Amino acid sequence: MEIKEIKPAEIEKKSFEIITSLLGDKKILPEHEAVVKRCIHTSADFDYADNLYFSPDVMEVLKKALKNGADIVTDTKMAQAGINKAKLLKYGGEVHCFISDEDVIEEAKKRGVTRSLVSMEKAAKLNKPVIFAIGNAPTALISLYHLITDNKIRPCAIIGVPVGFVNVVESKELIMTLDTPCIVARGRKGGSNIAAAIVNAILYLLD
């Protein structure tokens, strides 16, 4: 088998051309296309063309928030690492992940709850507009749901794409009942890489 050499700068461009070709006549709203394709590019999973839920106007809300310097809170160091921090910083934002903070670890241990839950409570004390990008822990989404319904936090938007089997589907459905703008990967699929991919897709639209 002959493998054609492709220059590094052309690899991503070629990948997106292949994705577009394989999607064929699949109907995707133009305003959602960049996010859907970036998720497929990250995962090679075309189910994201069907399972991503976008609340009304969420793309405009996210773009405006990022342009105005909103911070991003993730539930994993992996998602934090995957987000393009240079582009985010250009608009005055930064990425936080509190999952490994000593105070979060101690509080979670004391209460017998997950660090993800406590890290969302810590994020609620940030004195800036915040976007949550959750790719791993359903307990983070459940914590956000209660913080929002108890009027303890009002995030700009939530990207809710945890992956797994326990309370994953249920936590995503909870978020979709809120008035908070959101992008959610329905079902069991998702992950930290998908959370980062969605943030990056929107950041690249700002250029």
Side-chain angles (χ1 to χ4, degrees):
M1 179 187 292
E2 184 181 351
I3 298 177
K4 185 179 178 182
E5 186 175 340
I6 303 176
K7 293 178 181 179
E10 296 175 359
I11 293 173
E12 182 172 283
K13 180 174 180 287
K14 181 67 174 173
S15 295
F16 276 91
E17 287 172 357
I18 292 169
I19 290 166
T20 300
S21 173
L22 291 175
L23 282 170
D25 295 330
K26 171 70 72 176
K27 301 296 182 192
I28 300 170
L29 290 177
E31 60 265 36
H32 301 162
E33 188 176 349
V35 167
V36 171
K37 288 184 176 178
R38 180 69 56 180
C39 289
I40 294 170
H41 177 260
T42 297
S43 62
D45 188 340
F46 280 80
D47 282 355
Y48 288 105
D50 296 307
N51 69 10
L52 286 176
Y53 166 81
F54 297 79
S55 67
D57 302 320
V58 66
M59 291 296 292
E60 288 307 312
V61 169
L62 282 163
K63 286 190 282 186
K64 183 177 179 181
L66 290 169
K67 273 187 178 177
N68 289 335
D71 283 359
I72 294 171
V73 172
T74 74
D75 60 330
T76 65
K77 294 291 187 183
M78 184 184 294
Q80 183 184 33
I83 290 169
N84 190 319
K85 286 167 281 295
K87 283 195 177 292
L88 186 62
L89 186 60
K90 175 181 171 183
Y91 299 99
E94 58 181 310
V95 188
H96 307 276
C97 181
F98 301 124
I99 198 76
S100 298
D101 289 8
E102 283 299 323
D103 56 339
V104 168
I105 294 169
E106 286 301 315
E107 180 71 11
K109 194 180 296 183
K110 185 171 81 174
R111 288 163 52 189
V113 297
T114 68
R115 286 187 286 159
S116 298
L117 185 152
V118 177
S119 68
M120 296 300 107
E121 294 175 346
K122 182 169 182 175
K125 297 171 185 173
L126 286 172
N127 206 17
K128 272 192 76 176
V130 172
I131 296 163
F132 287 89
I134 309 301
N136 183 68
T139 51
L141 288 186
I142 295 166
S143 179
L144 283 175
Y145 175 82
H146 290 299
L147 288 166
I148 292 166
T149 55
D150 290 342
N151 294 313
K152 293 180 178 177
I153 190 172
R154 183 178 285 182
C156 302
I158 297 172
I159 296 166
V161 293
V163 60
F165 299 94
V166 179
N167 288 331
V168 168
V169 174
E170 294 85 351
S171 67
K172 293 173 180 178
E173 295 293 328
L174 266 184
I175 293 302
M176 289 190 288
T177 67
L178 297 169
D179 290 333
T180 306
C182 66
I183 298 175
V184 171
R186 281 182 153 146
R188 302 190 186 283
K189 292 185 177 182
S192 297
N193 59 333
I194 297 298
I198 292 171
V199 173
N200 288 338
I202 298 163
L203 282 170
Y204 299 151
L205 289 174
L206 303 184
D207 290 343

